[in-house]
Amino acid sequence: MALHLPDPAPPRAGSAVHDRAHRSWLAGQSLADRTNWSHAAEKFDQAFRLHPDEAYGLAAAHALICAGQPKAAVSRTGALRRRYPGLALAYTLESHALLEMGRPSDAADCLLALPCDVPRERAHWHSLGMSLQRCKRHDEAISAFMHALALKMDDAVVHFYLGMSFKDKGMKAEAAECVRTALLIGLGASELSARAQLVFLEREACRWEAAAQEMHRLQDALRAAPADMAVETGPFVHAVLGDDPLELLKAARLYALRVASFVNPLPRRTAQAHSGRLRIAYLSADFHQHATSQLMAQMLESHDRSRFEVTLISAGPDDASPMRERIRASSEHFEDLAQLKPAAIAQRIRELKIDILIDAKGATYGTLMPVTAHRAAPLQVSWLGFPGTTGASYVDYFIGDRVVTPLALADHYSEKIAQMPHCYQSNDSQRLRPLASDRAEWDAPADKLLLCAFHQSYKISADVFDHWCSILRRVPNAVLWLLRWNTNVQDTLLAAARARGIAADRLLFAPLLPHDEHMRRLGCADIYLDAWPCNAHTTAGEALWVGVPVVTLTGEIFAQRVAASLLETIGLPQLICHDSERYVEEVIALANDPARRGALRQQIEAQRDTSTLFDGVRFARDIEALYECMWARAVAGLPPEHLPAA
């Protein structure tokens, strides 16, 4: 937030030293007005050394933060706090510098160290809320944001971040109200992004009418935005909740332009043939217990190290999980750069002389697109992390397959499409083999047909739920097995079911579980019901791994073609439906035919050892072939071009 720094006391008559200090401060102000922050900081610091007015010291600290020198700012604020223990703004500035350094816990401790008798201003509470939020201490963060709002109730930014703490506590409906309030007050250039967040929150809470209304407002605002405007948007929402791929392309382009507007790209490095192996790097913030790592692990372990030098660029937390250790060990080089800013990460990639950089994160939470915007590598590729185009001119290829990214739909992408010969989604045949479990272990009825729909709640729309309830009405012995994804969803869905004539005991809610337990439980299902327009992605692969047939409804956008790609690869195209009526009929037919379900389960289980869907080694060979083709074109001086599957 903007800080109001105090002006120093005017020079006293006859005080030459004070007068020189004031002239240095004025020179610093002039430099700051021109955003020459490094030289402004020098002038402010010179003024403070001549005359230790607290305003000079505060101005120096603020300029150092703006100059990208947070460590020096902490040194200055530390000196100020020792000299003036009750100077609240010094604590606030130090917290800003510590946050810039990726040290939110230290930032919170600094603010909490302000003596109790010193009045707390709004900036203090705002900074404390942000620091605690980044430490995931959300109850305390909510309290701090409430204190800030008590001092200025119409602070849109504080309302928004208050909502983000409610969101992370699983209180999606409360979060939505905070974001709605922020939008009513006005969020300026952040409106499109906040509107996308509001739609997502309403969908997470399964408040469908409100979500539909907000989606229309978001789409209207996006249509009104100039096509070349660098503006913060929410591409993920358009990728998973919309059904218009060109709408997603526009949202992604605006977002990519916004990202690039904050970046000074590195000098372009062209592809040059060199001796030795092709240097590839995977960029992600999800190298821990996360779906991305679960999917990538065996592929990473299987790269041909005689031909490829593989580096992992990690910009996310170390959760000390077995998956983190497995991923760390999977490649020759593991660069833990979580504490670095995007520019420093890009510089490190350049120092490593990476030939092809693969962004496995995209425009999802914790995006690393600011890194790719620096153009650290000659070729940059989007794969796996984001279900759609990046919209970025600085990303050359998008890796898909013939089902998720048919070349007939190439105009939906800013990148050139590189098709894998089989499914674009890597899988891990080394993961835990399905272990038999009793339904009683999961409080699931033994005598009912279990229709499993373990989706995140945002994927469940009114339309999807209508079709599921239609199935329940026609299959009286069936139970719909859902996840208790957040604090709002169970009561909301039970009420929605009652409104559709479905008794509460027809819905069964399962708690979130650690991954291995989740897999054991998933194997108890009879049929997996897919959602739309965003299919199950990782979970669809998991259902097939444990032998559960998946019925899907495919569509035009990438996110609604993923399950179809999985089913095509495993040899079950008959479970791919192209309209919702066919989807309902296919589920009902399968529900009423236990012999067919048994045969499908046997077929799927037999595919564990034979299908390319679960062959991480084969996947590594196939994606390596794509990398070599991309690189050969680049070295030959040819621009990126669509690479159809062989």
Side-chain angles (χ1 to χ4, degrees), residues 433-438 441-442 520 524:
R433 290 274 167 166
L435 299 173
S437 66
D438 192 285
E441 187 177 348
W442 317 112
R520 292 180 60 238
C524 293

mmCIF file with all atom_site columns, all heavy atoms in Angstrom, residues 433-438 441-442 520 524:
data_model
loop_
_atom_site.group_PDB
_atom_site.id
_atom_site.type_symbol
_atom_site.label_atom_id
_atom_site.label_alt_id
_atom_site.label_comp_id
_atom_site.label_asym_id
_atom_site.label_entity_id
_atom_site.label_seq_id
_atom_site.pdbx_PDB_ins_code
_atom_site.Cartn_x
_atom_site.Cartn_y
_atom_site.Cartn_z
_atom_site.occupancy
_atom_site.B_iso_or_equiv
_atom_site.pdbx_formal_charge
_atom_site.auth_seq_id
_atom_site.auth_comp_id
_atom_site.auth_asym_id
_atom_site.auth_atom_id
_atom_site.pdbx_PDB_model_num
ATOM 1  N N   . ARG A 1 433 ? 0.516   -49.403 -6.125  1.00 0.00 ? 433 ARG A N   1
ATOM 2  C CA  . ARG A 1 433 ? -0.483  -50.260 -6.767  1.00 0.00 ? 433 ARG A CA  1
ATOM 3  C C   . ARG A 1 433 ? -1.758  -50.260 -5.934  1.00 0.00 ? 433 ARG A C   1
ATOM 4  O O   . ARG A 1 433 ? -1.693  -50.217 -4.699  1.00 0.00 ? 433 ARG A O   1
ATOM 5  C CB  . ARG A 1 433 ? 0.050   -51.680 -6.889  1.00 0.00 ? 433 ARG A CB  1
ATOM 6  C CG  . ARG A 1 433 ? 1.174   -51.810 -7.919  1.00 0.00 ? 433 ARG A CG  1
ATOM 7  C CD  . ARG A 1 433 ? 0.612   -52.032 -9.310  1.00 0.00 ? 433 ARG A CD  1
ATOM 8  N NE  . ARG A 1 433 ? 1.615   -51.847 -10.341 1.00 0.00 ? 433 ARG A NE  1
ATOM 9  C CZ  . ARG A 1 433 ? 1.459   -52.240 -11.589 1.00 0.00 ? 433 ARG A CZ  1
ATOM 10 N NH1 . ARG A 1 433 ? 0.336   -52.841 -11.953 1.00 0.00 ? 433 ARG A NH1 1
ATOM 11 N NH2 . ARG A 1 433 ? 2.389   -52.021 -12.490 1.00 0.00 ? 433 ARG A NH2 1
ATOM 12 N N   . PRO A 1 434 ? -2.914  -50.307 -6.586  1.00 0.00 ? 434 PRO A N   1
ATOM 13 C CA  . PRO A 1 434 ? -4.170  -50.270 -5.823  1.00 0.00 ? 434 PRO A CA  1
ATOM 14 C C   . PRO A 1 434 ? -4.257  -51.419 -4.822  1.00 0.00 ? 434 PRO A C   1
ATOM 15 O O   . PRO A 1 434 ? -4.013  -52.580 -5.153  1.00 0.00 ? 434 PRO A O   1
ATOM 16 C CB  . PRO A 1 434 ? -5.245  -50.409 -6.905  1.00 0.00 ? 434 PRO A CB  1
ATOM 17 C CG  . PRO A 1 434 ? -4.572  -50.024 -8.173  1.00 0.00 ? 434 PRO A CG  1
ATOM 18 C CD  . PRO A 1 434 ? -3.140  -50.387 -8.032  1.00 0.00 ? 434 PRO A CD  1
ATOM 19 N N   . LEU A 1 435 ? -4.560  -51.055 -3.596  1.00 0.00 ? 435 LEU A N   1
ATOM 20 C CA  . LEU A 1 435 ? -4.734  -52.043 -2.536  1.00 0.00 ? 435 LEU A CA  1
ATOM 21 C C   . LEU A 1 435 ? -6.219  -52.152 -2.220  1.00 0.00 ? 435 LEU A C   1
ATOM 22 O O   . LEU A 1 435 ? -6.909  -51.142 -2.085  1.00 0.00 ? 435 LEU A O   1
ATOM 23 C CB  . LEU A 1 435 ? -3.957  -51.632 -1.284  1.00 0.00 ? 435 LEU A CB  1
ATOM 24 C CG  . LEU A 1 435 ? -2.432  -51.504 -1.455  1.00 0.00 ? 435 LEU A CG  1
ATOM 25 C CD1 . LEU A 1 435 ? -1.813  -50.930 -0.182  1.00 0.00 ? 435 LEU A CD1 1
ATOM 26 C CD2 . LEU A 1 435 ? -1.821  -52.859 -1.785  1.00 0.00 ? 435 LEU A CD2 1
ATOM 27 N N   . ALA A 1 436 ? -6.691  -53.356 -2.110  1.00 0.00 ? 436 ALA A N   1
ATOM 28 C CA  . ALA A 1 436 ? -8.112  -53.566 -1.816  1.00 0.00 ? 436 ALA A CA  1
ATOM 29 C C   . ALA A 1 436 ? -8.454  -52.958 -0.462  1.00 0.00 ? 436 ALA A C   1
ATOM 30 O O   . ALA A 1 436 ? -7.673  -53.022 0.486   1.00 0.00 ? 436 ALA A O   1
ATOM 31 C CB  . ALA A 1 436 ? -8.425  -55.058 -1.825  1.00 0.00 ? 436 ALA A CB  1
ATOM 32 N N   . SER A 1 437 ? -9.603  -52.333 -0.396  1.00 0.00 ? 437 SER A N   1
ATOM 33 C CA  . SER A 1 437 ? -10.080 -51.801 0.882   1.00 0.00 ? 437 SER A CA  1
ATOM 34 C C   . SER A 1 437 ? -11.576 -52.037 0.969   1.00 0.00 ? 437 SER A C   1
ATOM 35 O O   . SER A 1 437 ? -12.265 -52.168 -0.045  1.00 0.00 ? 437 SER A O   1
ATOM 36 C CB  . SER A 1 437 ? -9.764  -50.309 1.006   1.00 0.00 ? 437 SER A CB  1
ATOM 37 O OG  . SER A 1 437 ? -10.491 -49.555 0.068   1.00 0.00 ? 437 SER A OG  1
ATOM 38 N N   . ASP A 1 438 ? -12.050 -52.074 2.175   1.00 0.00 ? 438 ASP A N   1
ATOM 39 C CA  . ASP A 1 438 ? -13.477 -52.298 2.422   1.00 0.00 ? 438 ASP A CA  1
ATOM 40 C C   . ASP A 1 438 ? -14.185 -50.952 2.472   1.00 0.00 ? 438 ASP A C   1
ATOM 41 O O   . ASP A 1 438 ? -13.680 -49.993 3.055   1.00 0.00 ? 438 ASP A O   1
ATOM 42 C CB  . ASP A 1 438 ? -13.661 -53.044 3.743   1.00 0.00 ? 438 ASP A CB  1
ATOM 43 C CG  . ASP A 1 438 ? -15.080 -53.555 3.895   1.00 0.00 ? 438 ASP A CG  1
ATOM 44 O OD1 . ASP A 1 438 ? -15.970 -52.724 4.183   1.00 0.00 ? 438 ASP A OD1 1
ATOM 45 O OD2 . ASP A 1 438 ? -15.296 -54.763 3.720   1.00 0.00 ? 438 ASP A OD2 1
ATOM 46 N N   . GLU A 1 441 ? -14.493 -48.944 5.635   1.00 0.00 ? 441 GLU A N   1
ATOM 47 C CA  . GLU A 1 441 ? -13.370 -48.128 6.092   1.00 0.00 ? 441 GLU A CA  1
ATOM 48 C C   . GLU A 1 441 ? -13.584 -46.659 5.765   1.00 0.00 ? 441 GLU A C   1
ATOM 49 O O   . GLU A 1 441 ? -13.050 -45.772 6.427   1.00 0.00 ? 441 GLU A O   1
ATOM 50 C CB  . GLU A 1 441 ? -12.084 -48.641 5.431   1.00 0.00 ? 441 GLU A CB  1
ATOM 51 C CG  . GLU A 1 441 ? -10.809 -48.009 5.938   1.00 0.00 ? 441 GLU A CG  1
ATOM 52 C CD  . GLU A 1 441 ? -9.578  -48.618 5.301   1.00 0.00 ? 441 GLU A CD  1
ATOM 53 O OE1 . GLU A 1 441 ? -9.681  -49.672 4.637   1.00 0.00 ? 441 GLU A OE1 1
ATOM 54 O OE2 . GLU A 1 441 ? -8.492  -48.023 5.468   1.00 0.00 ? 441 GLU A OE2 1
ATOM 55 N N   . TRP A 1 442 ? -14.390 -46.406 4.732   1.00 0.00 ? 442 TRP A N   1
ATOM 56 C CA  . TRP A 1 442 ? -14.612 -45.032 4.266   1.00 0.00 ? 442 TRP A CA  1
ATOM 57 C C   . TRP A 1 442 ? -16.048 -44.582 4.531   1.00 0.00 ? 442 TRP A C   1
ATOM 58 O O   . TRP A 1 442 ? -16.491 -43.571 3.975   1.00 0.00 ? 442 TRP A O   1
ATOM 59 C CB  . TRP A 1 442 ? -14.310 -44.934 2.769   1.00 0.00 ? 442 TRP A CB  1
ATOM 60 C CG  . TRP A 1 442 ? -13.068 -45.673 2.373   1.00 0.00 ? 442 TRP A CG  1
ATOM 61 C CD1 . TRP A 1 442 ? -12.973 -46.791 1.598   1.00 0.00 ? 442 TRP A CD1 1
ATOM 62 C CD2 . TRP A 1 442 ? -11.726 -45.360 2.771   1.00 0.00 ? 442 TRP A CD2 1
ATOM 63 N NE1 . TRP A 1 442 ? -11.680 -47.190 1.479   1.00 0.00 ? 442 TRP A NE1 1
ATOM 64 C CE2 . TRP A 1 442 ? -10.874 -46.337 2.184   1.00 0.00 ? 442 TRP A CE2 1
ATOM 65 C CE3 . TRP A 1 442 ? -11.150 -44.354 3.555   1.00 0.00 ? 442 TRP A CE3 1
ATOM 66 C CZ2 . TRP A 1 442 ? -9.499  -46.326 2.373   1.00 0.00 ? 442 TRP A CZ2 1
ATOM 67 C CZ3 . TRP A 1 442 ? -9.780  -44.351 3.735   1.00 0.00 ? 442 TRP A CZ3 1
ATOM 68 C CH2 . TRP A 1 442 ? -8.966  -45.320 3.146   1.00 0.00 ? 442 TRP A CH2 1
ATOM 69 N N   . ARG A 1 520 ? -6.642  -45.527 -2.296  1.00 0.00 ? 520 ARG A N   1
ATOM 70 C CA  . ARG A 1 520 ? -7.286  -46.754 -1.812  1.00 0.00 ? 520 ARG A CA  1
ATOM 71 C C   . ARG A 1 520 ? -8.798  -46.581 -1.769  1.00 0.00 ? 520 ARG A C   1
ATOM 72 O O   . ARG A 1 520 ? -9.558  -47.477 -2.145  1.00 0.00 ? 520 ARG A O   1
ATOM 73 C CB  . ARG A 1 520 ? -6.758  -47.115 -0.421  1.00 0.00 ? 520 ARG A CB  1
ATOM 74 C CG  . ARG A 1 520 ? -5.295  -47.554 -0.409  1.00 0.00 ? 520 ARG A CG  1
ATOM 75 C CD  . ARG A 1 520 ? -4.827  -47.901 1.010   1.00 0.00 ? 520 ARG A CD  1
ATOM 76 N NE  . ARG A 1 520 ? -5.622  -48.987 1.564   1.00 0.00 ? 520 ARG A NE  1
ATOM 77 C CZ  . ARG A 1 520 ? -6.336  -48.907 2.694   1.00 0.00 ? 520 ARG A CZ  1
ATOM 78 N NH1 . ARG A 1 520 ? -6.361  -47.781 3.384   1.00 0.00 ? 520 ARG A NH1 1
ATOM 79 N NH2 . ARG A 1 520 ? -7.019  -49.935 3.129   1.00 0.00 ? 520 ARG A NH2 1
ATOM 80 N N   . CYS A 1 524 ? -12.842 -48.040 -4.485  1.00 0.00 ? 524 CYS A N   1
ATOM 81 C CA  . CYS A 1 524 ? -14.143 -48.602 -4.078  1.00 0.00 ? 524 CYS A CA  1
ATOM 82 C C   . CYS A 1 524 ? -15.295 -48.129 -4.967  1.00 0.00 ? 524 CYS A C   1
ATOM 83 O O   . CYS A 1 524 ? -16.402 -48.666 -4.883  1.00 0.00 ? 524 CYS A O   1
ATOM 84 C CB  . CYS A 1 524 ? -14.447 -48.220 -2.627  1.00 0.00 ? 524 CYS A CB  1
ATOM 85 S SG  . CYS A 1 524 ? -13.353 -48.977 -1.416  1.00 0.00 ? 524 CYS A SG  1
#
